[in-house]
Amino acid sequence: PQAHTESTQRTARDYNLKNAKKEKYPARSFFKLEEIQKKYLLFRLGDAVLDLGCHPGSWSLYTSAVVGPTGLVVGVDLQETSKDPREGGSPIHWICGDITDPELIGRIQAVRPAFKAVISDIAPKTTGNRWADHQHSMRLVIQTLELAHLFLHEKGHYLSKIFQGEDMPELVNDLKKKFNFVKVIKPESSRKESREVFLLGMEFRR
């Protein structure tokens, strides 16, 4: 049964990857965002969205298509990222920078002072040590939250990937103090054995 399960998961991953290529997205990660967006409507036509850890660009491209020509996407990553938006999609401003660098704030503000949603598929380089990977992931998520506090509109929305671990419940409780609705999501398109989940916070209270 385990071999059958692993084979089924591999088939699903292959299918997602083929579909991503067919849709001309650089990675299958956009399926996770698409699944969450369809259920929770993080952003709509005309919205501005900040995408942290955007490389190779799938989330920004998908978001650009959703918010349309009157919207705006700002994608930030340590790695240089540059892809043209889809026809009918919003402009995408790509920024190569470190989310822990204070200078990044000014660079983002130069493009847009506030956003309807802050999203992040950011993840640390994994070491194989579950505790260490969780701690590295927590640090990155806390940094994305600090940027969300700076840039989110009142009643704006936040979404970030995180590796599960012992400190996550405390972070979820912190989110509940700042957002009217908080949920931990495991998308169907995530690998079952993966410890990644997504923290969703909706209706930010400034």
Side-chain angles (χ1 to χ4, degrees), residues 17-35:
L17 190 56
K18 279 180 186 172
N19 261 3
K21 287 178 178 173
K22 182 180 168 186
E23 299 278 351
K24 296 183 180 173
Y25 286 103
R28 64 185 182 85
S29 59
F30 95 91
F31 285 109
K32 300 167 192 174
L33 179 60
E34 181 183 50
E35 185 182 326

Side-chain angles (χ1 to χ4, degrees), residues 15-203:
Y15 174 78
N16 280 343
L17 190 56
K18 279 180 186 172
N19 261 3
K21 287 178 178 173
K22 182 180 168 186
E23 299 278 351
K24 296 183 180 173
Y25 286 103
R28 64 185 182 85
S29 59
F30 95 91
F31 285 109
K32 300 167 192 174
L33 179 60
E34 181 183 50
E35 185 182 326
I36 295 167
Q37 164 66 11
K38 284 183 174 177
K39 187 167 183 180
Y40 296 100
L41 294 178
L42 297 174
F43 35 83
R44 302 168 188 265
L45 277 173
D47 282 347
V49 180
L50 176 61
D51 179 13
L52 302 171
C54 66
H55 190 80
S58 291
W59 274 33
S60 290
L61 287 169
Y62 171 75
T63 303
S64 165
V66 174
V67 300
T70 58
L72 174 74
V73 175
V74 175
V76 178
D77 201 280
L78 276 171
Q79 295 187 65
E80 193 77 48
T81 313
S82 180
K83 294 191 180 298
D84 293 330
R86 302 298 164 77
E87 188 176 344
S90 75
I92 305 174
H93 290 262
W94 303 104
I95 296 177
C96 186
D98 185 342
I99 65 166
T100 64
D101 183 354
E103 289 186 3
L104 179 67
I105 294 167
R107 295 175 67 193
I108 296 170
Q109 286 172 331
V111 180
R112 183 89 177 198
F115 296 83
K116 181 58 191 264
V118 173
I119 59 176
S120 173
D121 194 33
I122 204 164
K125 289 182 179 175
T126 52
T127 63
N129 180 310
R130 295 178 71 146
W131 182 84
D133 290 345
H134 169 60
Q135 294 303 316
H136 293 322
S137 176
M138 283 283 295
R139 277 196 288 275
L140 288 171
V141 171
I142 288 166
Q143 190 65 41
T144 66
L145 261 175
E146 287 180 5
L147 290 169
H149 293 163
L150 277 173
F151 285 108
L152 272 182
H153 287 300
E154 179 79 17
K155 293 197 173 178
H157 309 313
Y158 169 80
L159 178 72
S160 180
K161 179 160 76 182
I162 187 170
F163 293 160
Q164 295 179 80
E166 60 188 18
D167 293 334
M168 199 175 87
E170 187 179 346
L171 185 60
V172 171
N173 285 333
D174 284 344
L175 247 68
K176 288 177 179 176
K177 296 171 188 172
K178 300 173 179 102
F179 293 88
N180 287 336
F181 175 83
V182 173
K183 191 169 180 67
V184 177
I185 300 169
K186 176 83 170 176
E188 288 183 18
S189 47
S190 283
R191 289 172 294 148
K192 294 292 181 281
E193 70 275 17
S194 170
R195 294 171 63 233
E196 73 168 30
V197 291
F198 290 83
L199 293 178
L200 172 66
M202 299 193 75
E203 297 186 1

